[in-house]
């Protein structure tokens, strides 16, 4: 009985990439989101650590 070779798969056809592997852009965006969330949490508790830029406008602190 001959040994069958498995069919080659294209990268687009499989889910071999881990869903938690992020591109550098995604990693940067998540880092910025965490910073904004942290600033909001601190503001709720009365600490002014805010983001320095809101809607691309620099906020003076």
């Amino acid at each position: 009985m001959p040994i069958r070779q498995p069919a080659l798969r294209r990268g687009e056809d499989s889910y071999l990439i881990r869903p938690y592997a992020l591109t550098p852009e995604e990693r940067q965006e998540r880092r910025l989101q965490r910073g904004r969330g942290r600033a909001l949490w601190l503001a709720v508790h009365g600490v002014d650590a805010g983001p320095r830029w809101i809607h691309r406008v620099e906020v003076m602190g």
Side-chain angles (χ1 to χ4, degrees):
M1 178 190 289
I3 298 174
R4 287 186 356 179
Q5 294 293 327
L8 294 178
R9 299 190 72 178
R10 298 183 325 168
E12 299 87 20
D13 298 336
S14 69
Y15 297 101
L16 295 177
I17 297 176
R18 298 177 178 125
Y20 54 85
L22 303 174
T23 65
E25 293 83 18
E26 291 170 329
R27 209 173 289 125
Q28 175 68 17
E29 181 57 34
R30 289 199 182 179
R31 186 176 303 121
L32 292 172
Q33 286 176 353
R34 273 195 312 273
R36 289 190 297 263
R38 187 178 310 114
L40 177 61
W41 187 87
L42 288 169
V44 167
H45 293 344
V47 178
D48 183 20
R52 299 295 173 229
W53 292 83
I54 297 177
H55 299 290
R56 297 183 183 149
V57 176
E58 186 173 8
V59 178
M60 303 307 278

